[in-house]
Amino acid sequence: MTQDPDWPIRVAAITALQQRVRQYGEVLSWDVIDAGFTYRGETLHFANRARGIFWPRQMSESALSIKTTVPRQGREARYDDLPSDEGFEYKFQGEDVEGRDNRRLVRAMELDAPLIYFYGIEPGIYAPIWPVYISGVDLTAKSFTVASGPPGAQVQAPGSFAADPRLLTLERRYTTVQVKKRLHQVAFRQHVLHAYEQRCAVCRFPRRELLDAAHILPDRDVRGRPEVPNGLSLCKLHHGAFDADLLGIRPDGVIEIAQRLMDEHDGPTLEHGLKGFAGKPLGILPLLPAQRPRPEYLEERYALFRRTRDS
Ligand SMILES: [Zn+2]
């Protein structure tokens, strides 16, 4: 059994990262990542701003993390960015697999060492994914294949479980697909909340922890892609009401409340939090016209609301 001499550093990094995610949520700003973590009284870095493949100098053989190059300003991650079959494609640093950085990932593959992947969502914002494993090297495409283990799991020491290689490959292929789906949702939420200045489109409520990116056309619809013009930033209450067709949005952006709710009388949540918005325009819209809800999506969704409302 090959031994990973850098195991204790890996465990310290992943433990610290779990704490950051608990504290800050599923996406981290570069400032949070750059602050690093403590290992035996020293501050070590998780990643390096300029380099994709990173290891602290205390690591002797393989790498600690990989990081996507930052997407260009205004550009969004799309489905096409993520190949759907084997895994994530991660480009060599330079051309040569024998290069200093690439050699560290080849070694990580030999050791089956769990790495951290800082996946770029927008400039300065990353979704950390762990554990990930280097599952292949493509010398022609000059890239590595990166597979994901069970997301966010406590990493297990190599050899601590019965690793049937074929079973492991299948399992990682499955979890990689799941992780990619989750990444789309993470990116969607990030972009939508950003476009709406971290506020609810109905009531302008400003706490990120209580905001969702709602789909206008549901994501089971083929057109219901996780893209900003199909999204609305909504607080938990208004998201729930929107999904239950208790709150509708007309194509011109005016809010309607279902009649069955208008006929009820109750405390302030119903009276002010819901009925109070009937006939009012949306409280906030994205500054960029291209990010505003697509009118034909609103129209289609509103037709569904009306059908429910009138039935
Ligand atoms: Zn709201």
Side-chain angles (χ1 to χ4, degrees), residues 199-205 210-211 233-239 247 273 277:
R199 285 178 181 276
C200 171
V202 170
C203 67
R204 299 182 55 89
F205 182 78
L210 295 176
L211 294 176
S233 171
L234 292 176
C235 71
K236 299 283 181 190
L237 175 65
H238 292 131
H239 186 191
L247 181 153
F277 290 102

Side-chain angles (χ1 to χ4, degrees), residues 247-260:
L247 181 153
I249 297 169
R250 285 195 336 225
D252 64 358
V254 171
I255 298 157
E256 286 191 9
I257 300 294
Q259 195 57 47
R260 61 189 188 280

Side-chain angles (χ1 to χ4, degrees), residues 178-240:
Q178 301 306 308
V179 164
K180 283 178 178 176
K181 281 187 190 156
R182 191 177 63 85
L183 267 180
H184 281 299
Q185 297 309 323
V186 168
F188 178 58
R189 178 169 184 267
Q190 176 68 25
H191 295 145
V192 169
L193 266 54
H194 187 111
Y196 288 79
E197 300 171 33
Q198 326 284 338
R199 285 178 181 276
C200 171
V202 170
C203 67
R204 299 182 55 89
F205 182 78
R207 286 303 298 193
R208 201 187 148 83
E209 299 91 319
L210 295 176
L211 294 176
D212 293 330
H215 288 78
I216 298 172
L217 294 182
D219 55 2
R220 61 177 180 273
D221 188 295
V222 283
R223 294 155 304 158
R225 294 183 128 197
E227 290 168 357
V228 178
N230 185 39
L232 281 169
S233 171
L234 292 176
C235 71
K236 299 283 181 190
L237 175 65
H238 292 131
H239 186 191

Side-chain angles (χ1 to χ4, degrees), residues 37-179:
F37 63 99
T38 307
Y39 176 70
R40 293 186 182 159
E42 272 184 283
T43 300
L44 269 54
H45 285 291
F46 286 112
N48 179 286
R49 192 172 188 86
R51 284 163 56 199
I53 301 166
F54 175 78
W55 61 95
R57 60 176 172 75
Q58 290 85 346
M59 287 181 89
S60 59
E61 284 196 25
S62 66
L64 177 66
S65 71
I66 55 176
K67 178 166 73 63
T68 32
T69 48
V70 178
R72 285 197 307 275
Q73 188 75 44
R75 188 176 167 276
E76 289 174 19
R78 301 175 63 95
Y79 274 112
D80 346 332
D81 286 348
L82 302 173
S84 56
D85 46 356
E86 290 301 300
F88 299 91
E89 188 189 352
Y90 193 80
K91 288 283 176 199
F92 285 0
Q93 174 66 43
E95 300 284 301
D96 186 3
V97 72
E98 291 295 327
R100 173 172 169 268
D101 291 20
N102 299 329
R103 269 207 329 256
R104 289 268 173 160
L105 289 195
V106 171
R107 189 68 188 129
M109 180 171 74
E110 291 165 357
L111 292 165
D112 199 36
L115 306 175
I116 301 162
Y117 191 178
F118 291 103
Y119 187 87
I121 298 282
E122 58 185 42
I125 303 285
Y126 296 86
I129 313 167
W130 77 87
V132 297
Y133 300 86
I134 305 298
S135 61
V137 185
D138 186 335
L139 293 173
T140 315
K142 299 187 189 306
S143 64
F144 296 99
T145 305
V146 180
S148 176
Q154 278 289 356
V155 292
Q156 289 178 301
S160 67
F161 56 97
D164 175 342
R166 279 168 313 173
L167 211 61
L168 201 61
T169 304
L170 277 178
E171 185 188 300
R172 285 184 187 164
R173 198 171 291 176
Y174 174 76
T175 50
T176 302
V177 171
Q178 301 306 308
V179 164

